Amino acid sequence: MASETYVTVAETSRPAPGQRRGSDFARLSRRIAQEGLLDKRPGYYAVRIGLVAALFAGTWTLFAAVGDSWWQLPVAVLLAVAFAQVTLLAHDLAHGQIARSRRVARIAGLLVGNLAVGLSYGWWMDKHTRHHANPNHEDHDPDVAPDILVWSEKQAGESRGLPRFIGRHQAWLFFPLLTLEGLNLKLSSFRALRRRSLKGRGTEGLLLSAHVLAYLGAVFLVLPLPKALLFLVVHQACYGVYLGCTFAPNHKGMPVLTAEDELDFLRRQVLTSRNVRGGRLVNTALGGLNFQIEHHLFPSMPTANLRRAQPIVRDYCASLGIDYVECGLVESWTQALRHLHEVGRPLREART
């Protein structure tokens, strides 16, 4: 199962099985391919990888140079940015955007994900594949599965215990809960090692353990206990918020699909996704995921080509009468929080 995951992620841009060659998506896909937008961009990724590696290594060097000082707290914030950028590179590796060889991509993904930031590459890739196949589907998308938060009125009605309690005020608690996301990803990564379907569990576990030992060893070697603990809290909290603010604007607040919704590939991806407007700064900060519609239609497309694909996709959707949603970064967060607040309404009313 795990060995097939990479194929699924990297090749999602191909028409789905059973899709007619003359389908709406197939026609768009041919246009995109004719423009060369699915071609690899080795130069772009060489520069990006170099810059991210310099940021990651430079931040750890700064950490060692600052030493026992309260000035380490700004360094913790900078390290959170470095971790997030490394995570975004792991995302591109999983989609086959960087390397042509699946073996090379997997090795790089293990080093970047497991060793550098403590995120299981295999576990996350399987989870993300299922998200891409059925975005915002309450039965099939793990990103909207009921856990601590609820994403639909149906989930709210079925919630019990802590999710039901949090669900009443989840819009207000969303950003505070994101501070725990970095820790949650690490715990989920270690829990995934128990799955027999996870390919190379031994290697994944070894690299995850090496990350934890090196990460905690460096922090406690340089800082005394109180400062070390505060450094860890600040770093992991900022890392979680950064990732949450990167991925949440893309789908949260968009239609949540159910088993009754029968949509073709094009509409399923476009109607559940949202683009985020912004210049070079937003594009860099979000790792190109601000072009979420184009990314979901063509996951293997290099990040650098998403901007060029946008006007083609937007005009094509307009010609078919398909809603193409795009807004600013703050507005995207607002829509996500508004959705969470509305979904929690039945729980608040039931309590009253």
Side-chain angles (χ1 to χ4, degrees), residues 274-297:
R274 176 197 296 114
N275 275 15
V276 178
R277 285 193 297 266
R280 189 177 298 275
L281 178 61
V282 170
N283 191 42
T284 301
L286 302 187
L289 295 181
N290 45 311
F291 297 106
Q292 188 68 193
I293 295 174
E294 288 73 28
H295 170 61
H296 257 259
L297 289 172

Side-chain angles (χ1 to χ4, degrees), residues 56-299:
F56 187 80
T59 305
W60 277 117
T61 302
L62 180 62
F63 170 80
V66 172
D68 182 4
S69 169
W70 289 110
W71 285 106
Q72 289 286 15
L73 297 185
V75 176
V77 177
L78 182 61
L79 188 62
V81 175
F83 266 50
Q85 286 295 320
V86 171
T87 305
L88 289 170
L89 275 180
H91 168 271
D92 287 10
L93 280 165
H95 281 297
Q97 297 177 18
I98 301 177
R100 297 182 183 278
S101 167
R102 297 169 187 166
R103 182 172 181 273
V104 170
R106 173 171 171 76
I107 293 173
L110 289 172
L111 295 176
V112 169
N114 294 55
L115 185 60
V117 298
L119 173 66
S120 170
Y121 180 74
W123 162 75
W124 181 86
M125 190 166 58
D126 173 70
K127 174 177 177 288
H128 197 61
T129 298
R130 289 183 282 124
H131 158 70
H132 265 264
N134 291 282
N136 262 26
H137 194 294
E138 65 178 8
D139 297 322
H140 303 301
D141 184 356
D143 288 353
V144 293
D147 189 10
I148 295 299
L149 300 176
V150 293
W151 304 101
S152 68
E153 291 188 7
K154 175 186 174 184
Q155 292 178 359
E158 297 174 348
S159 63
R160 297 292 182 271
L162 184 60
R164 188 174 185 85
F165 173 77
I166 291 179
R168 299 182 188 124
H169 309 288
Q170 60 184 6
W172 298 99
L173 296 173
F174 181 68
F175 282 105
L177 287 172
L178 284 182
T179 61
L180 302 175
E181 183 60 18
L183 180 60
N184 176 55
L185 290 174
K186 284 181 170 54
L187 293 176
S188 297
S189 295
F190 276 99
R191 283 199 299 266
L193 297 176
R194 296 178 296 183
R195 301 179 184 175
R196 294 185 179 276
S197 60
L198 182 66
K199 180 181 178 180
R201 287 188 298 167
T203 302
E204 292 240 4
L206 181 64
L207 292 175
L208 285 174
S209 300
H211 164 80
V212 172
L213 291 175
Y215 174 63
L216 295 180
V219 173
F220 285 104
L221 180 65
V222 172
L223 298 176
L225 184 61
K227 290 178 183 175
L229 292 177
L230 187 56
F231 179 92
L232 293 174
V233 169
V234 172
H235 174 235
Q236 291 298 321
C238 291
Y239 175 50
V241 171
Y242 191 136
L243 288 183
C245 291
T246 298
F247 287 93
N250 303 331
H251 301 283
K252 308 314 180 195
M254 298 302 291
V256 177
L257 305 181
T258 67
E260 298 177 357
D261 296 303
E262 297 183 2
L263 300 175
D264 64 1
F265 179 80
L266 177 67
R267 288 162 179 80
R268 184 167 69 248
Q269 302 298 335
V270 175
L271 295 177
T272 59
S273 304
R274 176 197 296 114
N275 275 15
V276 178
R277 285 193 297 266
R280 189 177 298 275
L281 178 61
V282 170
N283 191 42
T284 301
L286 302 187
L289 295 181
N290 45 311
F291 297 106
Q292 188 68 193
I293 295 174
E294 288 73 28
H295 170 61
H296 257 259
L297 289 172
F298 305 99

Side-chain angles (χ1 to χ4, degrees), residues 301-325:
M301 180 183 292
T303 297
N305 290 344
L306 294 173
R307 181 184 294 275
R308 293 170 53 197
Q310 184 191 29
I312 299 174
V313 174
R314 184 173 52 201
D315 292 347
Y316 187 74
C317 288
S319 70
L320 296 176
I322 302 174
D323 288 340
Y324 182 101
V325 178

